[in-house]
Amino acid sequence: MAASGGLFLGISYQQLDDGDAAEKFASSGKQAIPFNAWLKISTDGTITVGIHRAEMGQGVVTSLASMLAEELDADWQSVDFEFTPVDRDYFNFGMMKGGQPFGDPSSNIGTGAGTWLVREVFHTMGLSITIGSSSIIDAWDTLRPAGARARDMLLSAAAKRWGVAKDQLKTEAGFVINPATNLKLSYGELAEAAATEKPPSKPTLKSPADFRLIGKNPSRLDDIVKVTGQASYGLDVELPDMLYATVVHSPIAGSLVDTFSSPPIKELSGVKAIFPVGKPAAETAVAVAAENSWLALQAAKTVEVTAKPPIDGIRDSLTIDYRKQLNDPEPVIFREDGDSSAVLSAALTNQHTSLSADYQVPYLAHVCMEPMNATAMLDNNQLTIWAPTQAHSMVRDIGAEISGLDPANVTVHCTFLGGGFGRRSELDFVEQAVSTAMRFSGRPVKVFWSREQDIQHDAYRPLAYSSIAGAVDSNGAITAIDYKLVTQSVVASLYKRTPNPRGGDARKDSSAVSAINPGIYNIPNLTVSFVPIDSHIPAGPWRSVSHSWNGFFIESFIDELAVASNLSPLLFRLNHLEQQPRHQAALKAVAEQVKGVANIGYAISESHRSVVAHAVEVEIINNQSLRVKRVVCAVDCGPVIHPNNVIAQVESSIIDGLSSALFEQITFKQGIAEQSNFNNYRRLRFNETPIIETILLDSPMERPGGMGEPAVPGVAPALTNAIYQATGIRIRALPVLNNPDFQPYQASYSTAESIS
Amino acid sequence: MIKFFLNGKEVSTEVAGDMPLLWLLRDSFKLTGTKFGCGIGQCGACTVHIDGEAMRSCLMPVSTLAGRAVTTIEGLGTEEHLHPVQQAWVEQEVSQCGYCQSGQIMAASALLANKPNPGEQEIDQAMSAIICKCGSYPRIRKAIELAVKAQS
């Protein structure tokens, strides 16, 4: 891993790939002296960092800016930010390096030249998106060199001004200093001259020992605007002469509009028009455009929409018997190490412990606190879109596709996101805004969804079902695991919804079995098979994507194997992680913190280059109800860019993971989601939150991993493993409180308040 | 026409009386700091102060506002003069996506205005009304404790 990291570093130093993007960034937003696609410096010394990724709470505004400012040697007090325009030069190569969804090119191709080629293809595609916990991974190789290059240019300008050699000078907190004379020039004073200097092709990067910002928690740049209500989310876009439109979707999940009816427009106060929206001839909803949001929402209640029936029939949640699908004669085999079936059938005669178990997780909604929305205006063959999006370049592309304009005539303004979690990598709300804007040429239109529409028309974390068999020999070593998975392919489902769909092949979606393929444990005989199922219900990336189900399945099963073998689940894991020092260290760190405490469940997982261990402590109150008392989490994400942000993401992931494992599910009746708002889609609340402790481990890894998602997958299995320790009940289907096996505890959850 | 006080100034509106305050604030007065989250009083993102009490603006018809005093996040404090609760929020770095934080801060500031030294249960009761999908709850608790200390 270290070697491949070196390859990446070598390549990226030479290439900043910031041609067009640098020009676009220079001419948008604040006018200041441009240096590259991420940096403008004002004569007063203000450093404006361009943020090319979505800020949805993970703190990229601060962490990305700090990576550039570190190498620029800027004064953090003078650092400001703005969201950049969309350009292919802002392509995200980090998602390749994160290993999702396509696998790490360095491991697939194995050579630096291969990686370079993949990178060039990526640049040409220009996919600028914020997914897969990849922002930090990507920025490590772009924003640091961007800052270092500009620093070098500032040094060159100062050297010329003073008539001294560049290498005699140093920088410090926004100044170039000549140690011989003690003279100094501010970056603001130098900016104009420095911008004309030739940037070095290989800038020198700081040694980690010299970091003043990376790893040091510089203050969040978006804090003040968020506590004063000034931060502008998509829903807050206000433009002169704007119309407000809300949508009523075709009721069946993922279906298209067939017919619709409403009272005559003239009977609906303030309503301008009611019409189908979405891609032409594939409209997903009916929009109600009005003079204000409230009038649109009121009128929308009078609109009736009928659905075109899905081609392959309507699904209830379990119309398909997932268990039976396991008998598919041709499952996709993603891994076949040794001969698991022979070893498993011999287990009985060998008097080895053997076990098989089935697990299930439900559909989940994203419930971003800001309901889906986008604003668009078509004026004089120019399309402008304001969107809270994770799919920056795809917003431009879908805008061009629907309007028929050249992508060059489409401008995208990215706003703050009121949550993302994968939901905002979808384009449905953008398609609706663009088609609405085409109807009201010259007028901006904000298209927004009610909460009901948001929950009932999500691209859901798919229902997933797994059947696992395994054996443990008399030495307590796993001899074989046969892992079978049935679910929808998120990648294939997504492909149907991207611009110019190419039809992703579900049978090639190896990301469906992440967490077990390759997996972290030493398992000599391992078979991993996948039966993809198709459904009209859209499956989308939901925070940690396939790790969210595979993490639950495998970490539950490992726990069961340990228990069946009369071994400690903790030691059993450690014994099978002998070649994984990072994983061992993380597990040991949480175990140390909960030493001697009863009712602990463990889990260990790795995703997006980060390793995370969880220990969950539960309590049964009055022999009646469950309470999660404490969660301890140890994280090894390589070099930590912003420790406070990482801790915040861990807290966030634990609360998200607990909420979904305990309460959440979307069920479908006649293809229609049965949940619609927070009264029937329960989220964990303030008083239900356990104590959370986060341990950041010092890691020898030289490259950072992502942290937006990796602390999610271990939460559910650590919780159910803890419930087993406390009650002897093994929860194999989520959510916990809906599981009939949990009925002895009246399926209730105790708040902190009720036990105090 | 309905007259009421908005962030200390008398204002008037002629919108339909059944329009919830949330949409009057956002669409008419362009005070977009108050957020739309659920529309049924479940999530608390739209929380404002009405006569000093934390109330959900998505369920509050404009017709009920005559003569009352409404404070929104924009009226609580500014960048130059942050309210002690906002200050504590910044110090604890509570905000993640930030969308629910106006509601959280309005709920916390109403609590502290009425109960300068609230007990744990009172904090729980006031703050459990507002959903944060990002899970900023542990930091909200710390920020409230900090604001209590700062005020005393």
Side-chain angles (χ1 to χ4, degrees):
Chain A
M1 271 187 133
S4 67
L7 290 174
F8 286 124
L9 292 175
I11 291 157
S12 54
Y13 287 179
Q14 292 159 24
Q15 299 182 335
L16 211 51
D17 303 318
D18 67 340
D20 294 348
E23 284 166 36
K24 282 190 194 170
F25 180 55
S27 59
S28 75
K30 185 173 182 170
Q31 294 308 300
I33 299 151
F35 280 76
N36 53 49
W38 294 276
L39 175 63
K40 294 185 266 202
I41 301 180
S42 308
T43 50
D44 70 358
T46 303
I47 308 295
T48 302
V49 181
I51 303 298
H52 59 313
R53 300 286 176 247
E55 176 56 83
M56 46 193 163
Q58 81 282 42
V60 283
V61 160
T62 307
S63 51
L64 297 195
S66 75
M67 290 162 91
L68 186 146
E70 178 72 70
E71 296 294 343
L72 181 65
D73 228 0
D75 174 14
W76 188 248
Q77 296 308 316
S78 62
V79 174
D80 199 1
F81 74 95
E82 61 187 45
F83 295 117
T84 68
V86 169
D87 189 85
R88 75 182 190 116
D89 296 331
Y90 293 122
F91 71 110
N92 184 346
F93 194 54
M95 62 188 198
M96 292 295 284
K97 297 177 206 164
Q100 285 281 1
F102 311 103
D104 188 329
S106 63
S107 60
N108 290 346
I109 297 161
T111 67
T115 302
W116 178 84
L117 194 68
V118 175
R119 192 172 189 280
E120 281 309 288
V121 170
F122 248 64
H123 188 194
T124 307
M125 285 163 58
L127 201 55
S128 177
I129 58 180
T130 310
I131 61 156
S133 296
S134 57
S135 297
I136 291 284
I137 298 171
D138 183 70
W140 187 251
D141 295 334
T142 50
L143 284 166
R144 288 191 314 142
R149 284 180 160 203
R151 176 179 171 273
D152 190 278
M153 293 156 77
L154 289 157
L155 282 167
S156 299
K160 275 187 193 159
R161 181 118 15 132
W162 285 325
V164 297
K166 198 163 78 176
D167 60 10
Q168 302 293 302
L169 305 177
K170 63 173 192 175
T171 58
E172 200 177 295
F175 288 92
V176 178
I177 297 166
N178 184 346
T181 61
N182 265 336
L183 287 173
K184 59 183 190 177
L185 284 163
S186 74
Y187 285 1
E189 291 171 87
L190 287 166
E192 215 151 2
T196 63
E197 292 290 332
K198 188 173 182 296
S201 60
K202 281 193 176 188
T204 312
L205 295 181
K206 279 187 182 175
S207 142
D210 297 330
F211 286 165
R212 293 182 304 109
L213 297 170
I214 291 179
K216 307 283 194 262
N217 288 329
S219 56
R220 268 187 88 125
L221 296 176
D222 57 350
D223 247 355
I224 301 285
V225 290
K226 286 179 176 174
V227 302
T228 53
Q230 301 304 308
S232 188
Y233 300 83
L235 208 58
D236 302 332
V237 171
E238 288 287 334
L239 296 159
D241 201 28
M242 190 167 81
L243 278 172
Y244 301 78
T246 195
V247 287
V248 182
H249 282 81
S250 172
I252 295 171
S255 69
L256 300 176
V257 173
D258 187 13
T259 65
F260 70 97
S261 62
S262 69
I265 301 280
K266 60 178 188 293
E267 290 175 17
L268 298 168
S269 169
V271 172
K272 291 282 169 198
I274 299 179
F275 49 94
V277 287
K279 283 188 177 179
E283 288 94 354
T284 48
V286 170
V288 179
E291 291 299 342
N292 69 45
S293 308
W294 173 244
L295 293 171
L297 284 168
Q298 290 297 95
K301 289 178 185 163
T302 68
V303 176
E304 297 282 341
V305 182
T306 64
K308 282 182 185 158
I311 296 162
D312 296 320
I314 293 172
R315 293 272 167 77
D316 286 358
S317 300
L318 290 168
T319 306
I320 283 201
D321 183 338
Y322 280 69
R323 185 79 185 79
K324 278 190 187 155
Q325 295 299 306
L326 291 169
N327 301 327
D328 185 303
E330 289 181 351
V332 190
I333 308 289
F334 278 122
R335 192 167 200 94
E336 205 164 18
D337 296 346
D339 190 342
S340 64
S341 66
V343 174
L344 286 170
S345 32
L348 210 57
T349 42
N350 294 341
Q351 295 190 311
H352 289 174
T353 304
S354 64
L355 183 72
S356 65
D358 288 11
Y359 304 90
Q360 187 181 315
V361 296
Y363 284 103
L364 291 177
H366 292 80
V367 290
C368 301
M369 291 314 296
E370 178 194 15
M372 296 303 110
N373 70 86
T375 299
M377 179 165 70
L378 180 67
D379 194 19
N380 206 13
N381 281 328
Q382 291 289 324
L383 176 66
T384 311
I385 303 170
W386 293 260
T389 181
Q390 294 177 246
H392 319 248
S393 64
M394 289 202 281
V395 168
R396 176 201 55 203
D397 296 347
I398 201 76
E401 183 184 315
I402 292 177
S403 66
L405 293 171
D406 188 277
N409 294 334
V410 181
T411 305
V412 179
H413 297 288
C414 300
T415 66
F416 277 112
L417 281 60
F421 314 106
R423 178 62 179 91
R424 287 190 155 97
S425 57
E426 303 286 337
L427 298 169
D428 42 3
F429 50 95
V430 178
E431 292 166 1
Q432 294 166 355
V434 172
S435 64
T436 305
M438 288 168 71
R439 197 178 173 101
F440 295 100
S441 193
R443 270 190 99 166
V445 193
K446 174 157 68 186
V447 174
F448 71 102
W449 298 17
S450 65
R451 174 60 60 195
E452 288 79 9
Q453 295 290 313
D454 189 275
I455 289 185
Q456 297 196 298
H457 299 283
D458 203 342
Y460 302 93
R461 196 284 298 275
L463 191 156
Y465 189 98
S466 180
S467 184
I468 317 178
V472 177
D473 68 17
S474 48
N475 297 321
I478 300 173
T479 54
I481 282 184
D482 184 5
Y483 188 95
K484 293 180 175 144
L485 174 74
V486 184
T487 188
Q488 290 170 250
S489 159
V490 168
V491 172
S493 185
L494 256 178
Y495 263 120
K496 291 183 195 168
R497 304 189 293 275
T498 52
N500 309 308
R502 283 171 294 252
D505 184 349
R507 295 181 67 85
K508 289 183 180 156
D509 180 13
S510 62
S511 75
V513 293
S514 63
I516 179 67
N517 177 29
I520 55 177
Y521 294 107
N522 180 22
I523 303 165
N525 300 283
L526 173 66
T527 305
V528 178
S529 62
F530 171 46
V531 178
I533 62 161
D534 205 4
S535 172
H536 62 87
I537 299 167
W542 183 100
R543 196 175 194 174
S544 82
V545 199
S546 51
H547 287 271
S548 77
W549 59 80
N550 291 311
F552 173 64
F553 298 157
I554 192 66
E555 282 302 282
S556 295
F557 190 71
I558 293 288
D559 218 73
E560 291 211 50
L561 278 181
V563 170
S565 311
N566 291 317
L567 296 167
S568 133
L570 173 67
L571 294 178
F572 187 72
R573 284 183 174 83
L574 289 170
N575 289 343
H576 288 88
L577 291 166
E578 273 172 356
Q579 279 101 51
Q580 307 275 24
R582 299 173 75 203
H583 302 69
Q584 284 208 336
L587 263 178
K588 285 175 181 169
V590 294
E592 182 63 30
Q593 198 108 330
V594 297
K595 210 175 194 173
V597 178
N599 303 338
I600 296 285
Y602 291 98
I604 176 82
S605 58
E606 176 188 347
S607 54
H608 310 291
R609 292 182 173 266
S610 296
V611 172
V612 182
H614 289 87
V616 170
E617 181 189 356
V618 300
E619 200 174 28
I620 300 293
I621 308 293
N622 298 331
N623 213 19
Q624 273 188 338
S625 60
L626 171 73
R627 175 191 172 208
V628 180
K629 208 172 159 186
R630 181 183 179 209
V631 181
V632 180
C633 187
V635 170
D636 172 357
C637 59
V640 180
I641 306 304
H642 196 285
N644 207 13
N645 266 353
V646 170
I647 294 167
Q649 283 309 298
V650 170
E651 291 167 352
S652 172
S653 299
I654 286 169
I655 288 167
D656 222 357
L658 282 179
S659 183
S660 53
L662 287 166
F663 311 126
E664 296 176 31
Q665 66 173 341
I666 294 286
T667 53
F668 295 89
K669 196 168 184 183
Q670 297 293 305
I672 299 171
E674 293 185 286
Q675 294 74 23
S676 58
N677 208 318
F678 291 113
N679 55 342
N680 50 28
Y681 193 83
R682 180 175 172 190
R683 281 289 299 175
L684 194 86
R685 288 181 183 265
F686 181 85
N687 60 336
E688 299 170 324
T689 303
I691 294 164
I692 297 174
E693 294 158 29
T694 306
I695 305 162
L696 298 185
L697 298 170
D698 279 332
S699 172
M701 300 288 292
E702 55 184 68
R703 301 179 52 78
M707 271 316 294
E709 301 167 272
V712 175
V715 178
L719 168 70
T720 53
N721 293 340
I723 290 172
Y724 178 80
Q725 293 295 325
T727 67
I729 293 174
R730 179 62 68 178
I731 302 291
R732 297 195 182 96
L734 299 179
V736 173
L737 296 194
N738 199 57
N739 189 313
D741 295 338
F742 200 67
Q743 281 306 320
Y745 297 95
Q746 303 180 7
S748 65
Y749 185 72
S750 237
T751 63
E753 189 186 2
S754 62
I755 56 97
S756 56
Chain B
M1 189 173 73
I2 295 151
K3 286 186 175 179
F4 65 101
F5 294 89
L6 177 57
N7 293 332
K9 285 186 191 147
E10 192 174 41
V11 293
S12 64
T13 179
E14 297 195 8
V15 298
D18 61 348
M19 184 198 267
L21 171 62
L22 168 68
W23 298 112
L24 178 71
L25 292 172
R26 293 182 53 83
D27 292 356
S28 302
F29 290 106
K30 310 297 178 195
L31 293 174
T32 55
T34 304
K35 302 303 186 193
F36 169 55
C38 70
I40 61 164
Q42 284 283 322
C43 79
C46 65
T47 302
V48 297
H49 297 173
I50 298 180
D51 294 335
E53 296 291 330
M55 307 281 264
R56 283 160 166 168
S57 62
C58 77
L59 293 180
M60 184 61 60
V62 168
S63 60
T64 64
L65 290 174
R68 301 175 82 178
V70 175
T71 305
T72 68
I73 189 74
E74 291 89 348
L76 191 72
T78 60
E79 178 171 355
E80 294 73 28
H81 300 284
L82 291 178
H83 183 278
V85 169
Q86 290 169 313
Q87 184 64 46
W89 243 248
V90 171
E91 283 176 36
Q92 291 296 327
E93 302 206 335
V94 174
S95 306
Q96 291 187 32
C97 91
Y99 192 79
C100 72
Q101 297 300 334
S102 299
Q104 305 278 9
I105 290 169
M106 295 312 280
S109 56
L111 170 71
L112 297 196
N114 297 323
K115 286 258 174 194
N117 200 2
E120 198 132 313
Q121 288 204 15
E122 286 161 324
I123 296 175
D124 276 353
Q125 199 175 357
M127 302 314 296
S128 297
I130 302 126
I131 296 174
C132 173
K133 163 80 188 185
C134 297
S136 61
Y137 304 136
R139 288 166 189 236
I140 289 175
R141 192 178 291 281
K142 284 186 196 158
I144 290 172
E145 287 163 4
L146 189 67
V148 167
K149 271 189 211 150
Q151 280 189 346
S152 64

